[in-house]
Amino acid sequence: MCGIFAYLNYNVGRERRYILEVLLNGLRRLEYRGYDSSGIAIDSDTSSVMQSKSKPYDTAPPVVFRQEGKIESLVSSVYTEVDQLNLDLEKPFLVHAGIAHTRWATHGVPAPRNSHPQSSGEFDEFLVVHNGIITNYEVLKQTLVRHGFTFESDTDTEVIPKLAKFVFDKARDGEGGVTFSQVVMEVMRQLEGAYALIFKSPHYPNELIACKRGSTLLLGVNELGGETSRHLFHDVKALTANDKPKELFFSSDLCAIVEHTKNYAAIEDDEIVHIKDGSVSILKFNYEKEKPASVQRALSVLEMEVEQIKKGDFDHFMKKEIHEQPDSLTTSMRGRLKDGVVGLGGLKDHMRTIRRSRRIIFIGCGTSYHAALAARPIMEELTDIPVTMEIASDMLDRKALIFKEDTAVFVSQSGETADTLLALEYALQHGALCVGVTNTVGSTLARKTHCGVHINAGCEIGVASTKAYTCQIVVMVMMALAIGSDKMSTLAQREAIIAGLTKLPEKVHDVLKLDGEMKALAQSLIDEQSLLMFGRGNNYATALEGALKVKEVALMHSEGMLAGEMKHGPLALVDEYLPIIVIATRDDSFSKQQSVIQQLHARKGRLIVMCSEGDASLVCPDGRSRVIEVPRVVDCLQPIINIIPMQLLAYHLTVLRGYNVDQPRNLAKSVTTQ
Ligand code: F6R
């Protein structure tokens, strides 16, 4: 849930100001992951800080800056403190290692003392930034307290640097030295939970160590003055067998790396990456073995453009991402629809198993769950396989039944959501075929599933998921087409859907023209306390997702409901004040929705009806309700069209109500804790 970042320049002179800006900018890119506090650590000058104190090392002590609030409050406090410490911002470093963190609080309130880097104590002998959760921190803390350590924060993370110091001191008291990676390896041996960590220590100046178990960790490599070599690197200095100037980065997300380099490696669980003297070694930790094995890895090339992580002409990422949907959908389908046939390379080898499965289970959380719900009817229709739905956390709570004859489809934009990943572990243990649908190449979900499809929606930075939602639906519709492609009985239907997919970006472009209308609707709802959305069939998911968008960004209570359930309770809420959006676009459920509208009218309901273009008089014969007319597309794609006015409504409501659109209160984009 937090974001970690590190920058190490080697054999290339960088002023302190530049280093600070790279670190702070890295945090700006990761801010969507958590934004209640942040911090960085850089080197001071040997001469300027703590010179009088007898520090236990000869090198420059690190300076740690920590601040509560958004990154910009860290930025201003950093420059004020730099001034107070008399640190020379123009001082160049030929080699320097800096670390940074942005936090979404889990253990302890947002406060400087709970922000990262967390420290081993006096003299900051070990500093750590952490994304994830240490589950056995209490036991570790008690042990460390018994050994004389005092704790300053309420975090689980603080045990890590203290444990590192404990290990280091113990090794130093014995014979011979201890390397940075040996210290970290011993720390890893003691830790339980999920984490990605970056360590910095004045005992190991200009070195950095990162390791991970569960949480995503990426390494970026930028060799300056020539092409980055793509050869393998391992424990010998192969990555950079020369002293080439270079910049190395660690990050929780590629979007913090893309503006520096396109060469990256995704670090696997239990790997330790050690950067020393400009070379990178990757070691594989093993509980059983004293000595780690060295790992060989080739660099991958990032297919992401810098524009994706910038707002461009838009005021907010959410708005940009809503308006990007014609393009993101095109990219999602690119190369996958050829001559009326759907080709999904990632599923090819498992198609026979999927077709033979006893059932398909869709598993996800929040918006990703809704996307699966939207695709469920067509998946059942085209494949003749029963499809059940599971919210990942509920599946785990119930220890739901899952069999080896099942195909479990895990849907996650980030590929990092803890609940979804735990459900994946559970399904793997029960022998089900596990399929991933994710936006994040190299994510844990992508790596741990047997097969899958990337949605290729592009980087989504706004915390509220928009373009990923519509791309997820498109991908699952394509999956349904591919799985069901052996059935002659549905050939005509499949051809119609493929034709519909081809025209979809154009239709999405058309529906985006409702922007102004949605702003006017938002204006009329700005002071409301509550909003209901009714949908059914293909658009039950639209009602749930529309309501989720409104509640998460506009901070307005909003409920999506199955229209068929209306008369079983929710009807009691209806009066002339409560705004109710009814989704009544054309499909099999249209006539049923017409009667829902009549029943609501009969109770003087304040209705806003979404209908297909030209149907206004059918859904609102007396002209009393507000109508949103949207383009008609094939039934299974209609949820993609219908959600867009709801996304726009949520966006405008938020701006008009004066709330933060891209970083809503209490939320963060990837929920890596249970
Ligand atoms: C809402 C939203 C969340 C996520 C949910 C799952 O806009 O983004 O509901 O959909 O936290 O996240 P992923 O898809 O990354 O697994």
Side-chain angles (χ1 to χ4, degrees):
M1 201 73 158
C2 305
I4 60 175
F5 185 76
Y7 170 56
L8 189 147
N9 57 301
Y10 178 76
N11 247 350
V12 49
R14 296 290 189 222
E15 290 82 34
R16 180 176 278 127
R17 184 192 300 280
Y18 181 93
I19 292 166
L20 275 175
E21 277 308 313
V22 171
L23 292 170
L24 293 169
N25 219 29
L27 290 185
R28 288 186 182 104
R29 302 285 174 232
L30 296 175
E31 192 168 22
Y32 72 89
R33 301 175 65 90
Y35 32 86
D36 53 43
S37 43
S38 53
I40 57 174
I42 56 167
D43 288 341
S44 68
D45 305 325
T46 329
S47 56
S48 66
V49 185
M50 293 195 292
Q51 194 57 346
S52 53
K53 295 191 189 173
S54 53
K55 53 186 167 59
Y57 46 82
D58 303 329
T59 52
V63 222
V64 183
F65 304 94
R66 288 187 289 229
Q67 190 55 262
E68 188 185 326
K70 295 264 160 70
I71 305 298
E72 291 317 314
S73 44
L74 175 70
V75 175
S76 37
S77 73
V78 163
Y79 286 106
T80 315
E81 282 181 57
V82 159
D83 240 21
Q84 287 162 357
L85 291 168
N86 240 337
L87 287 180
D88 180 3
L89 284 173
E90 312 316 322
K91 179 185 160 102
F93 292 81
L94 204 55
V95 48
H96 180 279
I99 58 175
H101 186 270
T102 179
R103 177 168 187 253
W104 185 82
T106 54
H107 295 72
V109 293
R113 73 192 159 82
N114 288 331
S115 311
H116 303 199
Q118 283 288 309
S119 168
S120 55
E122 199 185 6
F123 304 119
D124 295 318
E125 290 175 65
F126 288 89
L127 290 165
V128 170
V129 288
H130 170 209
N131 173 31
I133 280 205
I134 303 303
T135 46
N136 63 336
Y137 80 100
E138 271 165 357
V139 185
L140 294 172
K141 190 168 171 175
Q142 281 162 18
T143 315
L144 289 162
V145 167
R146 275 201 302 277
H147 283 90
F149 284 87
T150 49
F151 282 74
E152 281 143 41
S153 79
D154 307 316
T155 66
D156 51 337
T157 306
E158 196 179 354
V159 296
I160 307 172
K162 293 202 156 58
L163 200 55
K165 177 171 160 49
F166 178 69
V167 171
F168 176 82
D169 288 347
K170 240 174 87 179
R172 211 170 41 170
D173 290 347
E175 282 184 10
V178 57
T179 65
F180 203 177
S181 45
Q182 282 167 334
V183 173
V184 173
M185 212 124 48
E186 203 38 52
V187 171
M188 272 185 97
R189 205 177 288 283
Q190 309 302 327
L191 297 181
E192 284 169 20
Y195 52 82
L197 305 169
I198 310 174
F199 291 76
K200 172 176 168 66
S201 167
H203 292 294
Y204 304 98
N206 305 322
E207 295 182 35
L208 281 181
I209 294 229
C211 62
K212 81 159 216 117
R213 189 175 291 153
S215 310
T216 301
L217 178 67
L218 301 143
L219 165 76
V221 180
N222 182 25
E223 280 186 349
L224 300 147
E227 277 276 286
T228 296
S229 37
R230 292 217 198 298
H231 46 240
L232 300 176
F233 53 92
H234 41 91
D235 64 337
V236 289
K237 299 181 180 182
L239 173 68
T240 49
N242 49 47
D243 272 350
K244 254 192 185 175
K246 64 185 70 76
E247 297 177 301
L248 297 157
F249 305 86
F250 285 120
S251 176
S252 309
D253 193 319
L254 289 169
C255 67
I257 291 181
V258 61
E259 58 203 296
H260 302 286
T261 178
K262 293 207 163 187
N263 300 303
Y264 79 100
I267 307 308
E268 302 278 341
D269 274 357
D270 289 326
E271 286 180 352
I272 298 169
V273 187
H274 189 173
I275 305 179
K276 185 181 177 185
D277 299 335
S279 96
V280 179
S281 39
I282 305 184
L283 305 169
K284 186 85 181 174
F285 171 81
N286 186 332
Y287 280 101
E288 257 79 288
K289 295 185 187 146
E290 269 288 297
K291 246 188 130 226
S294 70
V295 175
Q296 302 209 353
R297 178 82 35 82
L299 290 177
S300 308
V301 180
L302 179 56
E303 284 174 31
M304 185 195 279
E305 296 308 323
V306 179
E307 285 61 46
Q308 283 189 26
I309 57 162
K310 305 217 162 131
K311 278 192 241 169
D313 293 337
F314 292 93
D315 295 336
H316 303 101
F317 280 110
M318 183 176 176
K319 184 155 198 196
K320 174 177 177 252
E321 287 157 9
I322 292 173
H323 284 270
E324 265 171 6
Q325 288 176 103
D327 293 337
S328 56
L329 288 163
T330 306
T331 318
S332 219
M333 291 185 272
R334 184 165 295 134
R336 290 168 166 172
L337 298 175
K338 272 197 214 120
D339 311 321
V341 178
V342 176
L344 297 173
L347 298 187
K348 208 166 61 242
D349 296 342
H350 294 81
M351 206 44 106
R352 269 165 65 95
T353 322
I354 299 175
R355 285 190 182 129
R356 281 192 201 152
S357 37
R358 185 159 113 170
R359 73 178 161 160
I360 292 172
I361 315 173
F362 277 136
I363 303 155
C365 307
T367 291
S368 293
Y369 174 85
H370 296 158
L373 190 65
R376 177 199 203 179
I378 197 65
M379 185 62 87
E380 279 187 330
E381 208 174 324
L382 294 183
T383 63
D384 277 341
I385 305 173
V387 179
T388 58
M389 300 294 309
E390 290 287 359
I391 293 176
S393 59
D394 185 49
M395 176 179 181
L396 293 162
D397 290 346
R398 283 177 15 248
K399 299 191 179 56
L401 290 178
I402 179 158
F403 305 101
K404 60 179 186 321
E405 298 82 6
D406 289 330
T407 293
V409 181
F410 293 86
V411 189
S412 171
Q413 188 281 130
S414 61
E416 271 196 71
T417 304
D419 289 331
T420 310
L421 293 179
L422 288 168
L424 169 60
E425 289 295 334
Y426 179 78
L428 287 169
Q429 279 158 19
H430 286 77
L433 176 74
C434 295
V435 181
V437 174
T438 180
N439 196 26
T440 314
V441 178
S443 62
T444 310
L445 189 94
R447 284 180 289 108
K448 290 200 169 163
T449 40
H450 296 115
C451 57
V453 189
H454 283 116
I455 65 166
N456 299 336
C459 206
E460 192 180 66
I461 292 172
V463 164
S465 185
T466 51
K467 63 177 182 171
Y469 176 72
T470 48
C471 289
Q472 284 168 335
I473 301 177
V474 148
V475 160
M476 285 183 273
V477 169
M478 289 193 290
M479 279 171 65
L481 288 165
I483 301 167
S485 66
D486 58 342
K487 295 194 173 43
M488 276 314 290
S489 55
T490 55
L491 181 64
Q493 188 185 4
R494 282 186 278 119
E495 282 172 355
I497 296 172
I498 291 176
L501 283 170
T502 320
K503 283 188 247 134
L504 187 64
E506 194 187 308
K507 298 283 183 183
V508 169
H509 190 265
D510 290 345
V511 75
L512 283 166
K513 292 183 190 147
L514 290 175
D515 197 7
E517 215 177 294
M518 289 305 108
K519 187 170 178 184
L521 177 60
Q523 189 72 58
S524 72
L525 298 175
I526 185 172
D527 293 323
E528 296 304 331
Q529 299 283 322
S530 207
L531 177 66
L532 297 189
M533 295 196 196
F534 283 121
R536 73 192 317 145
N538 290 305
N539 284 293
Y540 172 36
T542 311
L544 294 183
E545 174 59 10
L548 177 62
K549 288 292 90 106
V550 170
K551 75 178 86 151
E552 74 175 316
V553 286
L555 315 188
M556 179 190 282
H557 171 252
S558 170
E559 283 309 315
M561 295 184 188
L562 191 61
E565 282 288 285
M566 185 189 72
K567 52 193 174 301
H568 301 294
L571 201 52
L573 291 172
V574 178
D575 61 17
E576 59 210 278
Y577 306 109
L578 175 69
I580 302 177
I581 298 181
V582 182
I583 300 156
T585 42
R586 286 287 178 133
D587 62 14
D588 288 353
S589 311
F590 181 61
S591 60
K592 288 187 193 157
Q593 284 302 75
Q594 277 182 307
S595 53
V596 163
I597 292 168
Q598 275 163 13
Q599 289 171 35
L600 290 168
H601 267 315
R603 271 103 194 150
K604 295 201 174 63
R606 181 179 162 193
L607 301 194
I608 300 144
V609 183
M610 183 187 292
C611 65
S612 302
E613 270 163 1
D615 275 357
S617 59
L618 293 177
V619 295
C620 175
D622 59 1
R624 274 192 302 140
S625 312
R626 195 165 190 142
V627 174
I628 307 164
E629 290 189 55
V630 297
R632 186 171 179 191
V633 293
V634 281
D635 295 358
C636 68
L637 302 179
Q638 196 67 51
I640 295 174
I641 297 294
N642 292 0
I643 194 60
I644 289 169
M646 300 296 97
Q647 294 172 343
L648 290 167
L649 174 66
Y651 170 79
H652 288 299
L653 261 179
T654 313
V655 175
L656 291 168
R657 283 159 70 94
Y659 296 124
N660 190 329
V661 186
D662 287 332
Q663 293 162 350
R665 184 174 72 192
N666 300 338
L667 299 182
K669 193 144 184 83
S670 46
V671 189
T672 55
T673 54
Q674 249 190 306

